[in-house]
Amino acid sequence: MRYIPITQADKAAMLRDIGVSSTEELFAANIPAEVRLNRPLDLPPALTEMEILAHLRELAAQNADTAEYACFLGGGAYDHYVPAAVDAVLRRGEFLTAYTPYQPEISQGVLQAIYEYQSLMCELTGMDLSNASMYDGASALAEAAGMVVNQTGRSKLLVARSVHPHYRRVVETYMHGVGVELIEVPLDGVTLDLNRLEALMTDEVGGLLLQTPNYLGYLEQVRQIEAIVHRMSGLFVVAVDPVSLGLLEAPGHYGADIVVAEGQGLGVPLSYGGPYLGILATRERFARKMPGRIAGATVDNRGQRGFVLTMQAREQHIRREKATSNICTNQALIALAATVYLALVGKEGLREVANLSLQKAHYAAQQIAALPGWRLAGSAPFFKEFTVLAPAPAQAVSRHLLGHKILGGIDAGAAYPELLDGAAGAVTLAVTEKRTRAEIDRLVAALGEVK
């Protein structure tokens, strides 16, 4: 809908009806004269709709977008292909303008979409229950941390240093207010230090927050880690890349108690960082501690299948002392995007997306590691991201790549200076199924110019 301003006659009629002669008089009683601007705003002359659209296009053309630049950025936001049908479904008015389905009798379509989303997330993660999504991967991990504290009654929590630094900051913010002590488990190379984990995992600790593939791209030794955590009756929280589950074992099969993820890779465009999708799935025994809501299938009094909100943990809906979280209305539209995406690609399609990403990432890593002055940061297995040590600072590498119309990797050395090991920089690169061999070869050639 286009914005249509009121006319001067409309404005005069509105002022007359409320009993004032001007806009200035309207504000005079409540805003002191000394703090009012008392002059016109310093803005350029007004433009017509046609002119402003042309101006906005000029501004947009200054962006380095993924339509013209080869994107090797990752760290939680990835340039995966989004089928056209995803957006076509999302733009249907029944979904695009729908609010939280408080009245199930008139919200059957939305509730069924949520139910299908939950079913897909359970199948993908190997867990019993999924809620109807969180804001993003970081808030999902923080909510999982709260679940661990509520379930175990312990006031200490381990978090792997290999977890995304932004996720760790969000967890710190959530846990600070409830007096939980977060203990960081250090790295051993590019993955978690298992010896330090074993020493830190005591019966005073509620559990561990882990990410695999981790922020640097590498796969953690999940079975050994699970055994250490559960030996002390702690809870094992795993943050995953959902696309990786097209190839890798589902966390529910190796003993995870709670699984969280950033779902952006499942049919959601980069969109300048959001809105995104926080996935949270868990075991049935933790259902009462799970934040958010659960949609369920039932049968009405005529024997017809229907959908309802089965469980809600928000204090607005239940007694405050029973609430587990105050997370509010979220982007269920983005959960629908993931549902449509997974329904379109299916099991085999997701496996192919994951396999193409893996094969292309390993080809890129092999070629880059062969360049003089470049080497891989570690020898652990990786999925679609990996970290390389560079002969120049990461920011200089990124600036050089921009000149070749390439969006380079993340500065891993800024968050993990211990990785540098004498190198000038550390760069984490992501390779998705969209990257062509020509683009990867162009990346390698450009990196070869960096001294």
Side-chain angles (χ1 to χ4, degrees), residues 389-427:
L389 301 182
Q395 291 185 351
V397 173
S398 293
R399 284 195 299 270
H400 178 76
L401 292 177
L402 280 174
H404 292 266
K405 288 203 165 186
I406 296 171
L407 299 173
I410 292 171
D411 183 359
Y416 300 90
E418 66 269 32
L419 283 181
L420 293 174
D421 190 28
V427 180

Coordinates of all heavy atoms in Angstrom, one line a residue, residues 389-427:
L389 N 44.8 -19.9 7.7 CA 45.7 -18.9 8.2 C 46.3 -18.2 7.0 O 46.7 -18.8 6.1 CB 46.8 -19.5 9.1 CG 46.2 -20.3 10.3 CD1 47.4 -20.9 11.1 CD2 45.4 -19.4 11.2
A390 N 46.3 -16.8 7.1 CA 46.6 -16.0 5.9 C 47.9 -15.2 6.1 O 48.3 -14.9 7.3 CB 45.5 -15.0 5.7
P391 N 48.6 -14.9 5.0 CA 49.8 -14.1 5.1 C 49.6 -12.6 5.4 O 50.6 -11.8 5.4 CB 50.5 -14.3 3.8 CG 49.4 -14.6 2.9 CD 48.3 -15.3 3.7
A392 N 48.3 -12.2 5.4 CA 48.0 -10.8 5.6 C 46.8 -10.7 6.6 O 46.1 -11.7 6.8 CB 47.6 -10.1 4.3
P393 N 46.5 -9.6 7.3 CA 45.4 -9.5 8.1 C 44.1 -9.7 7.4 O 44.0 -9.4 6.2 CB 45.5 -8.0 8.6 CG 46.9 -7.6 8.5 CD 47.4 -8.4 7.3
A394 N 43.1 -10.3 8.1 CA 41.8 -10.7 7.5 C 41.1 -9.5 6.8 O 40.5 -9.6 5.7 CB 40.9 -11.3 8.6
Q395 N 41.2 -8.3 7.4 CA 40.5 -7.1 6.8 C 41.2 -6.8 5.5 O 40.5 -6.4 4.5 CB 40.6 -6.0 7.8 CG 39.7 -6.1 9.0 CD 39.6 -4.9 9.9 OE1 40.4 -4.0 9.7 NE2 38.8 -4.9 10.9
A396 N 42.5 -6.9 5.4 CA 43.2 -6.6 4.1 C 42.8 -7.6 3.1 O 42.6 -7.3 1.9 CB 44.7 -6.6 4.4
V397 N 42.6 -8.9 3.5 CA 42.2 -9.9 2.6 C 40.8 -9.6 2.0 O 40.6 -9.7 0.8 CB 42.2 -11.3 3.3 CG1 41.6 -12.4 2.4 CG2 43.6 -11.7 3.7
S398 N 39.9 -9.2 2.9 CA 38.5 -8.9 2.5 C 38.5 -7.7 1.5 O 37.8 -7.8 0.5 CB 37.7 -8.6 3.7 OG 37.5 -9.8 4.5
R399 N 39.3 -6.7 1.8 CA 39.3 -5.5 0.9 C 39.8 -5.9 -0.5 O 39.3 -5.5 -1.5 CB 40.2 -4.4 1.5 CG 39.5 -3.7 2.7 CD 40.2 -2.4 3.0 NE 41.6 -2.6 3.4 CZ 42.0 -2.8 4.7 NH1 41.1 -2.8 5.6 NH2 43.2 -3.0 5.0
H400 N 40.8 -6.8 -0.5 CA 41.4 -7.2 -1.8 C 40.4 -8.0 -2.5 O 40.2 -7.9 -3.8 CB 42.6 -8.1 -1.5 CG 43.3 -8.6 -2.8 ND1 44.0 -7.9 -3.6 CD2 43.2 -9.9 -3.3 CE1 44.4 -8.6 -4.6 NE2 43.9 -9.8 -4.5
L401 N 39.6 -8.9 -1.9 CA 38.6 -9.7 -2.5 C 37.5 -8.9 -3.1 O 36.9 -9.2 -4.1 CB 38.1 -10.8 -1.6 CG 39.1 -11.9 -1.2 CD1 38.4 -12.8 -0.2 CD2 39.5 -12.7 -2.4
L402 N 37.1 -7.8 -2.4 CA 36.0 -6.9 -2.9 C 36.4 -6.4 -4.2 O 35.5 -6.2 -5.1 CB 35.8 -5.8 -1.9 CG 34.9 -6.1 -0.7 CD1 34.9 -4.9 0.3 CD2 33.5 -6.5 -1.1
G403 N 37.7 -6.1 -4.5 CA 38.1 -5.6 -5.8 C 37.9 -6.6 -6.9 O 37.9 -6.3 -8.0
H404 N 37.7 -7.9 -6.5 CA 37.5 -9.0 -7.5 C 36.0 -9.4 -7.4 O 35.7 -10.5 -7.9 CB 38.4 -10.2 -7.1 CG 39.8 -9.9 -7.4 ND1 40.5 -10.3 -8.6 CD2 40.8 -9.4 -6.6 CE1 41.7 -9.9 -8.5 NE2 42.0 -9.4 -7.3
K405 N 35.2 -8.6 -6.9 CA 33.7 -8.9 -6.7 C 33.5 -10.2 -6.0 O 32.7 -11.0 -6.4 CB 33.0 -8.9 -8.1 CG 32.9 -7.5 -8.7 CD 31.7 -7.5 -9.7 CE 31.4 -6.0 -10.0 NZ 30.2 -5.9 -10.9
I406 N 34.2 -10.3 -4.9 CA 34.1 -11.5 -4.0 C 33.9 -11.0 -2.6 O 34.6 -10.1 -2.1 CB 35.3 -12.4 -4.1 CG1 35.5 -13.0 -5.5 CG2 35.3 -13.5 -3.0 CD1 36.9 -13.7 -5.7
L407 N 32.8 -11.5 -1.9 CA 32.6 -11.3 -0.5 C 33.4 -12.3 0.3 O 33.0 -13.5 0.3 CB 31.1 -11.3 -0.2 CG 30.2 -10.3 -0.9 CD1 28.8 -10.5 -0.6 CD2 30.6 -8.9 -0.5
G408 N 34.5 -11.9 0.9 CA 35.4 -12.8 1.5 C 34.9 -13.3 2.9 O 33.8 -13.0 3.3
G409 N 35.8 -14.0 3.6 CA 35.4 -14.7 4.8 C 35.3 -13.8 6.0 O 35.5 -12.5 5.9
I410 N 35.1 -14.4 7.2 CA 35.0 -13.7 8.5 C 36.4 -13.7 9.1 O 37.2 -14.6 9.0 CB 34.0 -14.5 9.4 CG1 32.6 -14.3 8.8 CG2 34.1 -14.0 10.8 CD1 31.6 -15.2 9.5
D411 N 36.7 -12.6 9.8 CA 37.9 -12.4 10.6 C 37.9 -13.3 11.8 O 37.4 -12.9 12.9 CB 38.1 -11.0 10.9 CG 39.5 -10.7 11.6 OD1 40.2 -11.7 11.9 OD2 39.7 -9.5 12.0
A412 N 38.4 -14.5 11.7 CA 38.3 -15.5 12.8 C 39.4 -15.1 13.9 O 39.2 -15.4 15.1 CB 38.6 -16.9 12.3
G413 N 40.4 -14.4 13.5 CA 41.5 -14.1 14.4 C 41.0 -13.0 15.4 O 41.6 -13.0 16.5
A414 N 40.0 -12.2 15.1 CA 39.5 -11.2 16.0 C 38.9 -11.9 17.2 O 39.1 -11.4 18.3 CB 38.5 -10.3 15.3
A415 N 38.2 -12.9 17.0 CA 37.5 -13.6 18.1 C 38.4 -14.7 18.7 O 38.2 -15.1 19.9 CB 36.2 -14.2 17.7
Y416 N 39.3 -15.2 17.9 CA 40.2 -16.3 18.4 C 41.6 -16.0 18.1 O 42.2 -16.7 17.2 CB 39.8 -17.7 17.7 CG 38.3 -18.1 18.0 CD1 37.3 -17.6 17.1 CD2 38.0 -18.9 19.1 CE1 36.0 -18.0 17.4 CE2 36.7 -19.3 19.3 CZ 35.7 -18.8 18.5 OH 34.4 -19.2 18.7
P417 N 42.2 -15.1 18.8 CA 43.6 -14.8 18.5 C 44.6 -15.9 18.7 O 45.7 -15.9 18.1 CB 43.9 -13.6 19.5 CG 42.9 -13.7 20.6 CD 41.7 -14.3 19.9
E418 N 44.2 -16.9 19.5 CA 45.1 -18.0 19.8 C 45.3 -18.9 18.5 O 46.2 -19.7 18.5 CB 44.5 -18.9 20.9 CG 43.2 -19.6 20.6 CD 42.0 -18.8 21.0 OE1 42.0 -17.6 21.0 OE2 41.0 -19.4 21.4
L419 N 44.4 -18.7 17.5 CA 44.6 -19.5 16.3 C 45.7 -19.0 15.4 O 46.2 -19.8 14.6 CB 43.3 -19.4 15.4 CG 42.0 -20.1 15.8 CD1 40.9 -19.8 14.8 CD2 42.3 -21.6 15.9
L420 N 46.1 -17.8 15.5 CA 47.0 -17.2 14.6 C 48.4 -17.9 14.4 O 48.9 -18.1 13.3 CB 47.3 -15.7 14.9 CG 46.0 -14.8 14.8 CD1 46.3 -13.4 15.3 CD2 45.5 -14.8 13.3
D421 N 48.9 -18.3 15.5 CA 50.1 -19.2 15.5 C 51.2 -18.6 14.6 O 51.8 -19.2 13.7 CB 49.8 -20.6 15.1 CG 50.9 -21.6 15.2 OD1 51.8 -21.3 16.1 OD2 51.0 -22.5 14.4
G422 N 51.4 -17.3 14.7 CA 52.4 -16.6 13.9 C 51.9 -16.1 12.6 O 52.7 -15.3 11.9
A423 N 50.7 -16.4 12.2 CA 50.2 -15.9 10.9 C 49.7 -14.5 11.1 O 49.3 -14.1 12.2 CB 49.0 -16.8 10.4
A424 N 49.6 -13.8 10.0 CA 49.1 -12.4 10.0 C 47.6 -12.3 10.2 O 47.1 -11.3 10.7 CB 49.5 -11.6 8.8
G425 N 46.9 -13.3 9.8 CA 45.4 -13.3 9.9 C 44.8 -14.7 9.8 O 45.5 -15.6 9.4
A426 N 43.6 -14.8 10.3 CA 42.8 -16.0 10.2 C 41.4 -15.7 9.6 O 40.7 -14.8 10.0 CB 42.7 -16.7 11.5
V427 N 41.1 -16.5 8.5 CA 39.8 -16.2 7.8 C 39.0 -17.4 7.7 O 39.5 -18.5 7.3 CB 40.2 -15.7 6.3 CG1 38.9 -15.4 5.6 CG2 41.1 -14.5 6.4

